[in-house]
C-alpha cells in the first residue's frame, strides 16, 4: 500500500507549478479544466526519482487571504536525502524569498527547514 498522491488547494496554480519546477526540478503536467465543476483546475506535480505526486488544485471560490491554521493537512515533508541537500535548497529558497525557517534539528529528531509556496503553503524539507 502507498499514497497515490497528495492534493492541495492553492490560489495561484501557475505560481505553485513554477515553484515546484524551480526548487524541486519537478515535472508539472498540463492544466486539467473540469467540465463537471466550472472553474476547477488541477495540475499534477511529478517529483524526480520518485513515484510521489502532488495534485495542485484551484478554483474561483478560494479566498486569497486565508493563511491561518485550520482543520486538515498542515504541510507535506519532502526528504532530500541528506543535510547538505537541505542546506543547499534552504539557501536557494532564502535567496528566492520563500524560506520560512532555516535548517535545524527539531525536537522529534528531524533535520529540516520550512519553505513556502507562493501562496504561503508550508513545505518541510528534511534529511
Amino acid at each position: 500500500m502507498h499514497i497515490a498522491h497528495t492534493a492541495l488547494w492553492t490560489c495561484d496554480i501557475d505560481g505553485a507549478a513554477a515553484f515546484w519546477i524551480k526548487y524541486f526540478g519537478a515535472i508539472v503536467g498540463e492544466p486539467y479544466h473540469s467540465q463537471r465543476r466550472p472553474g476547477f483546475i488541477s495540475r499534477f506535480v511529478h517529483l524526480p526519482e520518485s513515484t510521489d505526486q502532488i495534485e495542485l488544485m484551484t478554483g474561483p471560490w478560494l479566498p486569497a487571504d486565508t493563511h491561518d491554521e485550520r482543520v486538515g493537512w498542515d504541510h507535506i515533508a519532502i526528504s532530500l536525502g541528506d543535510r547538505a541537500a537541505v542546506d543547499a535548497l534552504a539557501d536557494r529558497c532564502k535567496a528566492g524569498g520563500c524560506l520560512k525557517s532555516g535548517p535545524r534539528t527539531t525536537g522529534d529528531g528531524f533535520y529540516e527547514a520550512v519553505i513556502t509556496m507562493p501562496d504561503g503553503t508550508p513545505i518541510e524539507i528534511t534529511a
Side-chain angles (χ1 to χ4, degrees):
M1 184 179 317
H2 71 279
I3 295 173
H5 69 269
T6 303
L8 65 91
W9 290 105
T10 180
C11 294
D12 180 4
I13 198 165
D14 293 328
F19 169 88
W20 286 98
I21 292 167
K22 179 177 181 177
Y23 293 110
F24 291 94
I27 296 170
V28 179
E30 292 298 316
Y32 160 74
H33 297 266
S34 175
Q35 299 301 311
R36 186 182 62 81
R37 192 171 184 196
F40 174 86
I41 302 169
S42 71
R43 296 181 77 175
F44 275 89
V45 174
H46 305 271
L47 298 175
E49 301 174 21
S50 174
T51 59
D52 299 331
Q53 296 182 78
I54 299 163
E55 182 182 13
L56 304 175
M57 305 180 306
T58 195
W61 50 85
L62 292 177
D65 59 352
T66 303
H67 299 296
D68 295 330
E69 292 179 340
R70 58 195 170 277
V71 173
W73 298 103
D74 178 69
H75 65 272
I76 188 169
I78 301 195
S79 176
L80 302 181
D82 59 37
R83 289 176 176 235
V86 171
D87 292 342
L89 183 53
D91 287 344
R92 286 184 56 216
C93 290
K94 183 175 183 179
C98 59
L99 180 67
K100 183 174 182 179
S101 62
R104 70 207 176 285
T105 301
T106 62
D108 52 7
F110 285 95
Y111 185 75
E112 69 179 40
V114 179
I115 63 177
T116 58
M117 290 178 30
D119 63 6
T121 301
I123 299 165
E124 288 181 1
I125 51 173
T126 68

